[in-house]
Amino acid sequence: MVDHEAVTSAGTAVADADAVDRRGALGVASDGTLARVRTGAAELTGALRRVAEHVLSDPGAAARATIVELAERSGTSPATVTRFCRAMGFDGYADLRLGIASETGRARSAGWTVDIGREIQAGDPLERVLEQIMAADTRAMHDTAALLDLAEVERAAVAVAGAERVNIFGASGSALVGEEMQFSLHRIGVAAWAWNDVHSGLASAALLHPGDVALCISHSGQTREAIEMLAEGGSRGATTIALTGFRRSPLAELADIVLLTASQETTFRPDALSARHPQLVVLDLLYIAVAQRTHDRAHTAFRRTAQAVDGHKAARGANS
């Protein structure tokens, strides 16, 4: 099939690819091929986006296809597929195929053979639904581990460990994740506050100083309230950290430190909801890293807080 978009200067694919060429490869981790494509696809339109969608819809078939076959199936051209590979940070199509084949092979060996993305029907038994959820979450965890830059986690941990104050911002479901992080940090003696109201959050962010930390959670990285609160904290000199699913989102562009997560949506669990568990895993890693760097203080604080609430636990053997 001839792809006129790829051979005419007015075509969408050429415009897309030229834009990618100007900004360079997406710069994601070298592992986690499908996570790389899934994250990068949000940055593409037109023919390049069609290639990404085809790869994600059937990775196994993409790994077996020649460059001509993939171009035909996605309605593009070999030139567009080559540009797509470069946009995703691969040396060429062979590199992309090898990565997909390796990852799908690991998925099969790990038991991730449930048809992730299949619509959950009203009559599906709970056993089948559980398998679907577990497979999706397992894939999202592995994708997140592949995307996550541990050097960035290290930088974030150092900043949080040395901060006098940590402000955590998030709206809606992201606010719930933020509250969990605030609770964890508070238990080890880190002065942390979680804000989900934009007015209160902005007022608190305005009082931050250099050496403080503003951590903002938003899967899309496009929530206006989240961006405003992080920007306010950054304008006061605080170190800004973004936990998001999109490297080139407005929130990520604004932050000093970016922690990336992946998601794997299923029926009734779109990206924003399916991102919760990966977000919690990344924040748990950050929390542990902070505790390591403040070991004596953290150990003492954790012991004291545990003792403070111990009297409210039911005595063992007591009648209910």
Side-chain angles (χ1 to χ4, degrees):
M1 175 178 178
V2 177
D3 179 9
H4 296 289
E5 294 176 271
V7 296
T8 62
S9 59
T12 304
V14 171
D16 290 342
D18 287 344
V20 172
D21 287 345
R22 286 195 296 272
R23 71 177 178 240
L26 295 177
V28 293
S30 60
D31 196 8
T33 299
L34 294 176
R36 187 190 305 197
V37 173
R38 190 174 297 112
T39 301
E43 302 293 319
L44 306 175
T45 58
L48 295 181
R49 181 66 175 266
R50 292 205 300 276
V51 176
E53 290 174 345
H54 185 78
V55 168
L56 294 173
S57 68
D58 193 348
R64 296 187 296 271
T66 66
I67 189 170
V68 174
E69 289 170 341
L70 181 60
E72 290 178 346
R73 293 170 188 174
S74 59
T76 61
S77 72
T80 299
V81 174
T82 298
R83 286 181 176 270
F84 167 78
C85 293
R86 291 215 316 266
M88 295 296 102
F90 295 100
D91 293 334
Y93 184 59
D95 192 22
L96 173 67
R97 285 183 67 187
L98 181 62
I100 296 173
S102 175
E103 190 162 330
T104 53
R106 288 198 304 270
R108 285 192 296 271
S109 66
W112 308 342
T113 54
V114 173
D115 184 14
I116 301 174
R118 166 191 174 275
E119 285 291 315
I120 296 175
Q121 305 298 327
D124 283 351
L126 287 181
E127 180 181 7
R128 182 69 176 79
V129 175
L130 176 60
E131 290 176 349
Q132 188 89 350
I133 293 172
M134 291 296 293
D137 283 353
T138 299
R139 175 65 61 83
M141 298 293 186
H142 281 265
D143 286 351
T144 294
L147 286 173
L148 192 61
D149 186 341
L150 294 181
E152 290 285 270
V153 177
E154 175 79 25
R155 290 180 59 207
V158 170
V160 172
E164 292 186 7
R165 179 185 181 96
V166 177
N167 270 11
I168 304 170
F169 306 114
S172 189
S174 295
L176 300 176
V177 178
E179 289 172 2
E180 177 73 17
M181 184 59 170
Q182 186 272 335
F183 173 77
S184 297
L185 291 176
H186 196 262
R187 286 294 301 271
I188 59 171
V190 176
W193 286 261
W195 305 96
N196 58 23
D197 174 76
V198 65
H199 294 276
S200 300
L202 285 171
S204 182
L207 298 177
L208 293 175
H209 301 92
D212 293 334
V213 168
L215 166 61
C216 192
I217 304 165
S218 171
H219 174 65
S220 69
Q222 296 180 355
T223 304
R224 187 178 68 181
E225 293 84 354
I227 295 169
E228 289 177 354
M229 291 185 285
L230 192 69
E232 181 64 32
S235 72
R236 303 297 173 175
T239 299
T240 53
I241 304 171
L243 178 65
T244 181
F246 298 92
R247 182 182 296 274
R248 296 191 181 275
S249 63
L251 187 73
E253 297 281 0
L254 184 66
D256 298 316
I257 300 170
V258 179
L259 306 179
L260 284 177
T261 60
S263 62
Q264 183 68 61
E265 68 178 33
T266 62
T267 311
F268 305 120
R269 295 173 76 213
D271 273 353
L273 288 178
S274 60
R276 295 293 175 256
H277 290 159
Q279 287 173 344
L280 288 169
V281 167
V282 173
L283 290 178
D284 200 33
L285 175 63
L286 176 58
Y287 156 70
I288 294 296
V290 171
Q292 288 177 314
R293 285 151 186 77
T294 60
H295 182 272
D296 292 343
R297 184 184 74 183
H299 182 74
T300 300
F302 198 84
R303 178 168 46 82
R304 287 180 180 176
T305 54
Q307 289 175 344
V309 301
D310 192 58
H312 290 269
K313 295 178 180 178
R316 292 181 180 178
N319 294 327
S320 57

